[in-house]
Amino acid sequence: MDAQAIARLILEGFERHYRRFRFNAQQAKACFESGDYQAIRRLARERIAFYDERVREAGEALETQFDADALDETSWREVKRAYIMLLTDHRQPELAETFFNSVATRLLNRSHFLSDMLFVRPAVATDYLDSDPPSYRVYYPQRIGLRRCLKAIVVDLGLACPWQDVDRDLRLVLRAACDDLTRPFKTQGDLQIHVLRGLFFRNKGAYVIGRIVNDGEPIGFALPILRTTQGRLHIDSVLFGIEPVQMLFSFARAYFMVDMEVPSATVQFLRTIMPNKPKSELYTMLGLQKQGKTLFYRDFLHHLKHSSDRLCLAAGIEGLVMLVFTLPSFPYVFKIIKDKRSKDVSREHIVSKYQLVKLHDRAGRMADTWEYSNVEFPRDRFEPSLLERIRLLAPSMLEETPDRIVIRHVYIERRMTPLNMALEHATEQETEGLIREYGDAIRQLIAANIFPGDMLYKNFGLTRHRRVVFYDYDEIQYLTECVFRRIPPPRTPEDELSNEPWYSVGPNDVFPEEFERFLLGQPRMRKAFMKYHADLLDVEYWSSQQARIRQGILDDMFPYPEHKRFDHRYGQRGA
């Protein structure tokens, strides 16, 4: 058994993956410059499958070139030691370690997993790792002047498109900085502007991510750059501070595409401007979902070790197909598919819907999930009532030992307050705001070619930023697959009194006027809904949105408030 040869084979598989990953981001830049936004979406979908394809290739190559069945525990330890030596000067060691784990667990029986055979903890530190040239550029406004400094930042972006009016845009950036930065803003001797070299691409936008360093304190900022229909660039807004920048990296949005030689350096930079954002979520938002999963699980194990509360059923109305539980001290929920479902849908159907959401633009309105198999928990951290519920409704998902509980398949996502619960305790003013947000969420899902199916309030959640997000996917489908119809008038008085419809209903038929009966029973909710979203009850609205999507029209969906856009904030680009 040649441990070094096996280690090299696995690392070569990872490096093929990461070269393809970087090429994907480079293609996104070219697509943005040409205005091919559909291609950007396609690249984002394709990239999600890259990792599993390379893991499968590496596993098959290992089985073909070596006697994989002969690799016992001692052999895998030797391979791991050889692999660590190959990572000494590597630029993506943390990702390569995760790739090793994926290949090894693909070939090993789970009962044979041992911590010293896998990278349970990182073996190679990334704290001060960076690329050459470094991952971010440094500018000195006091040395060359602020305007020249901003012009240099724009030039260094290297976008192969003309600007509509770059001087005007930079004036608006300075105007917004004067309005938004805490006063008095006194420049110190160490004043610098740091800008990540790689542009962040998603949908129709390119984002410059940076920070202002003044007296040692970093202030994060983001510059969204858009392209006009004439192919000219303009800065649409500038966002300063932790919360606005964090919204760009929300778990309810699609992943960015950004070219990074050293992803750990990019994540470290982002942590300085979003200190409350876990590394697991940052890696995930950069399109490195497997690394995000690895870090999340490490964080979870660490939290379990340093807490004592118990896993319990999550708050809210229990779903028809999913059983949801949580650890109160940990801001996530665990969702497992029931064996005994109150809805006639297969497990495969549900899994396919979660995969659809994973591959699709989530428009800031659908929660992202991490999917895990065979997750171990300490048995004593389960409330007995939760265990009983799992035994009753999802026994095939449960494996029990005297001290461990294994969940065979689970989805994990950020915990939110169910919208129906938020509405129960809302004042009239709060209700109006929540219903307006709810309708806006549906509109943005529509713009992304998503029909949520079950639009009841219990299937939506409220984030800590008071944003409404959809999270129940078993009835989700593409809007263009739906057939929107009006309810035909009753033929006879008996039709009106019947509990059954007097008209035929196809599998994809949707009757928007029925939404009123299910959603607007309470006067305060009806009042708010009719004020802002009455057209959602009209079949013509839905049909017109279908037509736009079929014509290839992509509506603008900005991951920042409308009032922050320069056109809205200062009027016609500050004129």
Side-chain angles (χ1 to χ4, degrees):
M1 194 270 311
D2 189 340
Q4 289 188 341
I6 294 173
R8 280 195 300 272
L9 185 151
I10 296 173
L11 186 59
E12 286 167 4
F14 165 72
E15 290 174 343
R16 278 195 298 275
H17 158 68
Y18 201 69
R19 282 194 299 271
R20 179 93 181 272
F21 182 89
R22 291 190 67 184
F23 181 59
N24 179 276
Q26 293 157 10
Q27 287 178 296
K29 180 176 183 290
C31 292
F32 174 78
E33 291 167 339
S34 65
D36 192 350
Y37 307 123
Q38 295 285 6
I40 291 176
R41 283 189 167 183
R42 185 173 62 252
L43 287 169
R45 288 194 301 271
E46 291 173 352
R47 186 179 63 172
I48 292 171
F50 286 177
Y51 186 89
D52 289 336
E53 290 171 3
R54 299 293 88 75
V55 168
R56 184 175 61 254
E57 286 176 4
E60 290 172 353
L62 198 154
E63 290 175 319
T64 301
Q65 299 177 34
F66 302 91
D67 184 2
D69 292 336
L71 291 175
D72 56 15
E73 295 173 10
T74 302
S75 301
W76 274 109
R77 292 188 186 97
E78 290 180 20
V79 173
K80 180 183 173 184
R81 283 194 290 269
Y83 197 78
I84 291 171
M85 297 303 295
L86 295 175
L87 299 182
T88 303
D89 297 314
H90 207 274
R91 296 297 178 94
Q92 306 96 30
E94 77 283 24
L95 307 186
E97 290 175 356
T98 293
F99 190 86
F100 179 96
N101 287 352
S102 297
V103 174
T105 53
R106 184 180 185 274
L107 298 174
L108 287 167
N109 184 287
R110 183 174 60 84
S111 63
H112 293 151
F113 294 172
L114 297 173
S115 61
D116 56 348
M117 296 163 59
L118 303 175
F119 291 96
V120 177
R121 289 179 293 276
V124 180
T126 61
D127 298 39
Y128 296 100
L129 189 63
D130 208 345
S131 53
D132 186 17
S135 56
Y136 61 90
R137 296 185 176 95
V138 181
Y139 301 88
Y140 299 92
Q142 292 182 324
R143 183 184 300 172
I144 64 173
L146 187 53
R147 290 184 183 277
R148 287 181 61 193
C149 179
L150 294 178
K151 186 70 72 74
I153 291 172
V154 169
V155 170
D156 287 340
L157 298 178
L159 285 166
C161 294
W163 285 79
Q164 191 179 54
D165 188 342
V166 69
D167 292 320
R168 172 205 62 194
D169 287 353
L170 295 181
R171 285 196 303 271
L172 293 175
V173 169
L174 289 174
R175 184 174 174 183
C178 291
D179 291 343
D180 292 352
L181 294 178
T182 303
R183 296 187 180 187
F185 186 84
K186 296 181 180 179
T187 60
Q188 304 296 328
D190 69 338
L191 178 64
Q192 305 160 51
I193 299 176
H194 300 169
V195 176
L196 284 168
R197 289 180 184 273
L199 278 165
F200 288 59
F201 295 97
R202 185 171 63 197
N203 291 339
K204 298 168 74 172
Y207 297 84
V208 180
I209 306 295
R211 64 192 176 201
I212 302 166
V213 178
N214 191 45
D215 197 23
E217 292 294 324
I219 302 171
F221 68 85
L223 294 175
I225 299 173
L226 303 182
R227 185 180 177 277
T228 68
T229 53
Q230 293 77 37
R232 295 182 175 273
L233 303 175
H234 65 91
I235 298 173
D236 192 59
S237 180
V238 61
L239 311 172
F240 292 105
I242 295 172
E243 291 296 326
V245 175
Q246 265 190 180
M247 287 297 291
L248 296 181
F249 292 82
S250 162
F251 64 89
R253 298 194 184 280
Y255 311 132
F256 283 108
M257 286 175 282
V258 54
D259 185 16
M260 306 168 287
E261 183 182 8
V262 180
S264 61
T266 299
V267 169
Q268 185 61 34
F269 186 101
L270 294 173
R271 285 275 287 171
T272 66
I273 62 177
M274 295 179 282
N276 299 323
K277 199 79 170 170
K279 283 186 179 181
S280 57
E281 292 189 12
L282 291 175
Y283 272 102
T284 300
M285 289 309 301
L286 296 174
L288 298 163
Q289 308 97 293
K290 296 295 182 180
Q291 188 62 23
K293 283 179 61 174
T294 296
L295 292 176
F296 173 85
Y297 194 58
R298 287 173 182 167
D299 289 344
F300 179 59
L301 292 177
H302 179 81
H303 184 86
L304 282 175
K305 188 174 181 179
H306 295 85
S307 61
S308 58
D309 55 334
R310 289 184 170 188
L311 293 153
C312 59
L313 287 168
I317 300 171
E318 186 174 300
L320 301 178
V321 301
M322 305 293 282
L323 185 65
V324 185
F325 61 94
T326 189
L327 187 68
S329 62
F330 198 59
Y332 296 87
V333 293
F334 304 82
K335 304 172 71 171
I336 56 179
I337 301 172
K338 295 177 179 178
D339 297 325
K340 300 177 181 178
R341 297 179 284 275
S342 302
K343 191 181 290 186
D344 187 20
V345 290
S346 68
R347 179 176 298 276
E348 292 74 22
H349 171 87
I350 299 165
V351 170
S352 72
K353 297 303 182 182
Y354 273 81
Q355 184 66 7
L356 184 157
V357 173
K358 175 67 71 176
L359 295 173
H360 199 77
D361 171 24
R362 289 183 292 284
R365 297 298 188 172
M366 291 190 288
D368 191 20
T369 56
W370 285 306
E371 184 179 6
Y372 290 84
S373 298
N374 298 314
V375 181
E376 291 193 2
F377 301 86
R379 187 185 184 94
D380 62 3
R381 298 303 293 274
F382 275 78
E383 289 285 0
S385 57
L386 171 58
L387 264 183
E388 283 301 317
R389 200 73 182 150
I390 298 174
R391 290 189 192 110
L392 175 65
L393 297 175
S396 73
M397 294 291 101
L398 185 64
E399 183 180 322
E400 301 185 59
T401 71
D403 60 343
R404 310 296 291 175
I405 295 293
V406 177
I407 302 296
R408 293 194 175 98
H409 183 231
V410 62
Y411 295 101
I412 301 174
E413 66 187 35
R414 271 278 183 176
R415 188 168 61 220
M416 293 173 273
T417 303
L419 180 59
N420 62 305
M421 293 180 64
L423 285 167
E424 281 178 16
H425 306 289
T427 64
E428 186 168 347
Q429 184 178 359
E430 289 169 339
T431 297
E432 180 171 330
L434 291 173
I435 293 296
R436 185 174 187 176
E437 254 291 294
Y438 163 79
D440 288 345
I442 292 172
R443 292 181 189 278
Q444 290 177 4
L445 290 173
I446 292 169
N449 193 22
I450 289 293
F451 177 64
D454 192 340
M455 290 166 51
L456 294 177
Y457 302 126
K458 70 182 181 68
N459 298 322
F460 292 76
L462 189 65
T463 72
R464 62 189 183 88
H465 299 292
R466 307 293 290 176
R467 189 170 178 82
V468 171
V469 172
F470 183 60
Y471 54 51
D472 190 323
Y473 303 144
D474 57 278
E475 290 190 20
I476 203 169
Q477 65 185 116
Y478 292 117
L479 189 80
T480 47
E481 295 176 349
C482 298
V483 179
F484 292 100
R485 296 175 52 194
R486 286 190 177 86
I487 297 176
R491 299 159 300 182
T492 64
E494 288 75 20
D495 281 350
E496 281 192 279
L497 298 174
S498 173
N499 292 325
E500 299 297 324
W502 57 87
Y503 46 89
S504 63
V505 180
N508 292 329
D509 284 355
V510 179
F511 301 89
E513 59 199 281
E514 286 189 328
F515 301 159
E516 183 173 3
R517 178 155 50 102
F518 296 113
L519 300 175
L520 308 183
Q522 296 188 31
R524 62 193 179 105
M525 296 181 190
R526 178 183 176 81
K527 179 181 177 183
F529 190 94
M530 299 306 290
K531 179 178 179 179
Y532 297 109
H533 304 300
D535 54 349
L536 291 178
L537 305 178
D538 183 0
V539 70
E540 293 299 332
Y541 171 80
W542 295 86
S543 298
S544 67
Q545 296 304 305
Q546 279 184 320
R548 289 174 61 82
I549 293 167
R550 287 174 177 143
Q551 292 166 22
I553 298 172
L554 293 181
D555 288 332
D556 294 322
M557 288 181 287
F558 302 104
Y560 42 91
E562 191 80 9
H563 68 265
K564 284 288 186 181
R565 301 186 64 206
F566 287 156
D567 278 355
H568 290 254
R569 191 171 185 179
Y570 300 122
Q572 294 301 310
R573 314 300 300 164

